[in-house]
Amino acid sequence: MRTVQSVLIAVLLTASSAALAQQAGIEDRLSPAEFRAAGLDKLSTAELARLNELLARDSAAAPTAAPAAPVATDVEARIAQAREEGRREARTADLGKRPPQASREPLESTISGPFHGFARGREYVLANGQVWKQVDSASLAGARGQDVAARIRPGLLGVWWLQVDGYNTQAKVERVR
């Protein structure tokens, strides 16, 4: 077992020294003027050898690290794009269910056309073009009218209440359009 380890260590040392020998030193990569301008001519032979070892190690590690950065950036870009698409879908889905309320102010208008009382699922078209749908089971049987005055006021937790003139009963409604 010890022999195998010794052989492996020898092979690794030979391979690493061959790689270092193939690497050009800093003195070979720079022109003599650049070498002097960088102050490298002041280094001793040992310091220059150590600098070359460090550069070789960093250049050997650089190719493995360089491709990883664009992949991470690409992944982050895809995540950001997916988030934005999800936000757009959520906005579209919310708009399909019910339009956003411009304000939480009470509204006074008239119900356009005939009014036949309250009933779950019934839609009420106001003179301003808004359409409201009744979502509770409040009833107002026998009530009849044409272009009846109505008030829609906000309640707690985003609920809206519809009440028509002449009656105390109110119905829970939500805006359709």
Side-chain angles (χ1 to χ4, degrees), residues 10-72:
V11 169
L12 287 175
L13 286 174
T14 306
S16 64
S17 64
L20 285 175
Q22 290 175 355
Q23 280 269 324
I26 189 73
E27 61 275 4
D28 298 330
R29 292 188 221 169
L30 300 176
S31 69
E34 291 172 328
F35 192 77
R36 276 191 305 278
L40 298 175
D41 58 333
K42 299 174 192 165
L43 296 177
S44 69
T45 309
E47 291 170 330
L48 193 56
R50 179 68 179 145
L51 178 63
N52 283 328
E53 288 173 21
L54 293 173
L55 290 173
R57 183 188 69 196
D58 289 346
S59 66
T64 16
V71 172

Side-chain angles (χ1 to χ4, degrees), residues 93-111:
D94 285 346
L95 290 175
K97 291 179 185 171
R98 63 178 180 271
Q101 300 299 326
S103 71
R104 297 284 298 164
E105 294 297 317
L107 171 69
E108 291 196 23
S109 186
T110 58
I111 296 176

